[in-house]
Amino acid sequence: MMTVVPLHYIARNLWVRRVTTFLTAAGMALVVYTFATVLMMSEGIRATLVATGQPDNVLVLRKGAGAEINSGVDRLQAGILESLPGIATGRSGERLLSKETVVLNSLPKAGTGKPSNITMRGMGTAGPSLRPQVRLAEGRWFRPGTAEVVVGRSVATGFEGCQVGQTLRFGGRDWLIVGSFDAARTAFDSEIWGDADLMMQSFRRSAYSTVVFRLADASSFERTQAAIAADPRLQVDAKPEIRFYEEQSEGLAKFIRILGTVLSVIFSIGAIVGAMITMFAAVAQRTGEIGTLRALGFRRSAVLIAFLTESLLLSVVGGVLGLAAASAMQVFRISTTNFQTFAELAFQFQLTPGIVAQTLAFSLFMGFVGGFIPAWRASRMKIVDCLRAA
């Protein structure tokens, strides 16, 4: 008794019914495209935020604050933090520490004019040095103590009136845009930077939002954290900056992943039904072939595996087509609202080997579920009935 139907025979049957094969594969490809795009969006948001943080930077917020915009570090606390040992120094001997004010401001989006929130970050002179991924793209940096700002790449291209040389009105005064910067596709691309003390005054803030500093030795974080916790005047939380941004990405990425997975599962029901109909039609049209295979000595299990393999090949075609379409999304840069800050966040879709593996597994699952029942029916058909029908 023969146990395996040749693979070329299975693949040839798909080619003979190429119109039906293409239409069914296209339906699966649409579902795979949706599934892969959602995973790429989630990964893009996570990668953008995680890349924003530096492993040797420490970010200090008010105890219990989940985001910079609802944090507060008063001047006394900021002064104590500035005197901590172990803070790195720059080339001129200055301490790499920045007392920062983070607020939201609404600006009209380019093209539509609809308002959207932008993160305004006031920082000290060491602020840009603490972000090595940030490079000045045009103009110059703002001067401390002046109403000058620099804008991220996504702000400059996505909002009205945000080009170098133009003026923004907020906080009761006019702010001159003197430069734009490229933050290497991190969250800083969606921010506007200026002088911290002047922004505090303009937005009537009595305390900084956060304090950011770089450790001379990244491995000394636990000692620094213990020193902060031991001082009763410091009711603050200290975190590695990279961990803070990882936590910021979790909520939004998880929401998108869950919502997209639910939609993909709903859409997949239609694709599975389509595959099932296609395979039932194939069984009905090839009754004589099934009888001949059985008469030649192929076992029932061989017929089952043959039709199931055909369905899986169909799903692979759909999976590859869907992945190819989804991969093209990587050239686009879009924006969404960060639920942690309620500010706009620009990001790009990210396709990773893990997403490719998950997507193909999802596609094969649809092919298996859609093809199993027709394949089982084909394997249970009697030889005499098949030959009589032929």
Side-chain angles (χ1 to χ4, degrees):
M1 298 289 285
M2 300 182 186
T3 57
V4 179
V5 177
L7 183 61
H8 66 82
Y9 167 79
I10 299 170
R12 187 189 64 187
N13 286 321
L14 287 176
W15 177 250
V16 169
R17 297 176 289 108
R18 50 186 172 272
V19 175
T20 305
T21 297
F22 174 76
L23 292 176
T24 305
M28 287 186 167
L30 288 174
V31 179
V32 168
Y33 169 81
T34 302
F35 183 76
T37 300
V38 167
L39 294 180
M40 290 168 60
M41 181 183 296
S42 175
E43 178 61 23
I45 291 171
R46 191 200 67 79
T48 296
L49 287 173
V50 170
T52 302
Q54 295 295 310
D56 52 353
N57 282 357
V58 177
L59 190 141
V60 181
L61 306 94
R62 176 179 55 81
K63 189 174 289 292
E68 292 175 291
I69 60 171
N70 54 30
S71 172
V73 179
D74 63 38
R75 293 181 183 272
L76 173 62
Q77 292 173 328
I80 296 171
L81 291 167
E82 194 170 13
S83 66
L84 287 172
I87 296 178
T89 56
R91 295 179 179 177
S92 303
E94 77 283 4
R95 293 202 134 199
L96 294 180
L97 179 143
S98 177
K99 306 166 188 176
E100 302 192 344
T101 301
V102 181
V103 295
L104 297 182
N105 188 43
S106 182
L107 294 175
K109 298 201 69 172
T112 65
K114 294 182 178 179
S116 183
N117 286 334
I118 285 294
T119 299
M120 316 286 295
R121 183 180 298 273
M123 58 176 56
T125 55
S129 301
L130 289 167
R131 282 85 184 194
Q133 72 271 47
V134 176
R135 297 288 183 270
L136 189 65
E138 183 182 359
R140 58 176 175 82
W141 291 111
F142 64 89
R143 291 175 297 180
T146 64
E148 297 178 345
V149 294
V150 291
V151 299
R153 179 180 61 169
S154 297
V155 177
T157 58
F159 288 83
E160 295 178 358
C162 290
Q163 300 298 314
V164 175
Q166 295 182 305
T167 301
L168 296 174
R169 180 74 180 178
F170 60 85
R173 69 177 71 209
D174 293 327
W175 299 75
L176 177 64
I177 301 175
V178 297
S180 67
F181 59 84
D182 184 344
R185 299 178 181 178
T186 64
F188 293 135
D189 269 329
S190 302
E191 296 185 353
I192 296 177
W193 292 358
D195 180 73
D197 291 323
L198 200 57
M199 280 198 182
M200 282 180 65
Q201 177 186 340
S202 299
F203 287 99
R204 298 178 177 84
R205 298 295 179 92
S206 59
Y208 298 105
S209 299
T210 62
V211 174
V212 183
F213 59 86
R214 177 170 298 162
L215 292 172
D217 179 7
S219 64
S220 66
F221 169 74
E222 292 184 359
R223 293 196 301 272
T224 303
Q225 187 181 42
I228 292 173
D231 193 326
R233 297 170 296 176
L234 296 177
Q235 298 301 308
V236 295
D237 288 326
K239 301 178 180 180
E241 190 181 40
I242 193 169
R243 184 195 303 167
F244 169 77
Y245 282 106
E246 283 177 352
E247 293 172 354
Q248 292 284 294
S249 70
E250 287 175 359
L252 181 57
K254 184 177 181 180
F255 171 77
I256 292 175
R257 202 160 47 241
I258 292 175
L259 178 62
T261 301
V262 171
L263 290 175
S264 297
V265 169
I266 293 173
F267 294 156
S268 70
I269 295 174
I272 289 172
V273 171
M276 194 175 293
I277 291 173
T278 299
M279 295 309 299
F280 268 126
V283 172
Q285 293 172 0
R286 293 156 57 192
T287 303
E289 290 183 28
I290 295 171
T292 302
L293 289 172
R294 295 283 288 116
L296 290 173
F298 286 96
R299 297 176 182 273
R300 294 182 185 273
S301 59
V303 176
L304 172 67
I305 292 173
F307 278 89
L308 194 54
T309 302
E310 190 172 321
S311 180
L312 291 174
L313 285 175
L314 189 63
S315 69
V316 168
V317 173
V320 171
L321 290 175
L323 266 176
S327 65
M329 295 296 294
Q330 294 180 98
V331 302
F332 297 104
R333 186 173 178 83
I334 65 173
S335 60
T336 186
T337 299
N338 186 342
F339 294 160
Q340 295 287 343
T341 63
F342 300 102
E344 185 156 310
L345 174 69
F347 67 94
Q348 282 188 294
F349 293 87
Q350 295 279 339
L351 181 62
T352 65
I355 291 176
V356 172
Q358 291 179 63
T359 302
L360 290 178
F362 178 66
S363 179
L364 288 171
F365 172 77
M366 288 193 294
F368 179 83
V369 174
F372 182 78
I373 296 178
W376 177 261
R377 180 178 180 276
S379 69
R380 306 312 297 174
M381 295 177 71
K382 295 180 180 180
I383 298 176
V384 175
D385 293 338
C386 291
L387 295 177
R388 185 182 297 124

